[in-house]
Amino acid sequence: MPHIVIEYAAPLREQLDVNTLVHAAHQGAIATGLFNPKAVKSRAYACEDFVLGESDASTGSFIHIRVSIMPGRTDEQKQQLTQSIGQGLSAFVGAVGCVSIEVAELHQPSYFKQEH
């Protein structure tokens, strides 16, 4: 844990290296020291269809990162996490209309994980 899921406007594939984006977010989470580095899982998905405000998909762009974690972190630790990931994304901010990051706590009683 955590799971880092990055959604981004598909046209950004032409402007930025998505692999570098994923690694930057991943390293940002690890840099906090809040998690076992081997437990951090990161991935990205392109959003083909989207609307931003009153614009169409051809005139806007976004990166949204959701970091899902188990309960128990303080608000300060969650803020440290978003700031650390955000610092790692600073190289992408100029090319993107909007970058947002959220930390969400998983519902531990209903979370299932099986490892082999």
Side-chain angles (χ1 to χ4, degrees):
M1 200 55 61
H3 287 275
I4 301 170
V5 179
I6 303 168
E7 298 175 331
Y8 64 93
L12 287 175
R13 281 185 289 225
E14 309 291 324
Q15 300 170 15
L16 55 89
D17 181 349
V18 175
N19 189 46
T20 301
L21 170 68
V22 173
H23 279 84
H26 190 88
Q27 290 303 315
I30 290 171
T32 65
L34 296 172
F35 311 101
N36 176 343
K38 293 180 181 182
V40 180
K41 299 161 192 74
S42 303
R43 54 203 173 270
Y45 301 101
C47 297
E48 299 290 338
D49 303 306
F50 59 91
V51 177
L52 301 172
E54 294 181 336
S55 68
D56 62 30
S58 66
T59 60
S61 62
F62 68 91
I63 294 172
H64 177 72
I65 301 175
R66 181 181 178 98
V67 185
S68 298
I69 63 173
M70 287 299 203
R73 307 285 185 210
T74 66
D75 287 344
E76 291 77 18
Q77 289 172 318
K78 293 174 191 174
Q79 186 176 27
Q80 176 190 2
L81 179 57
T82 57
Q83 288 176 346
S84 184
I85 292 172
Q87 288 171 352
L89 301 182
S90 61
F92 299 99
V93 173
V96 181
C98 179
V99 175
S100 57
I101 304 168
E102 70 172 313
V103 174
E105 288 188 346
L106 295 167
H107 182 248
Q108 193 167 10
S110 64
Y111 180 76
F112 173 79
K113 179 180 179 179
Q114 183 176 2
E115 295 184 271
H116 301 278

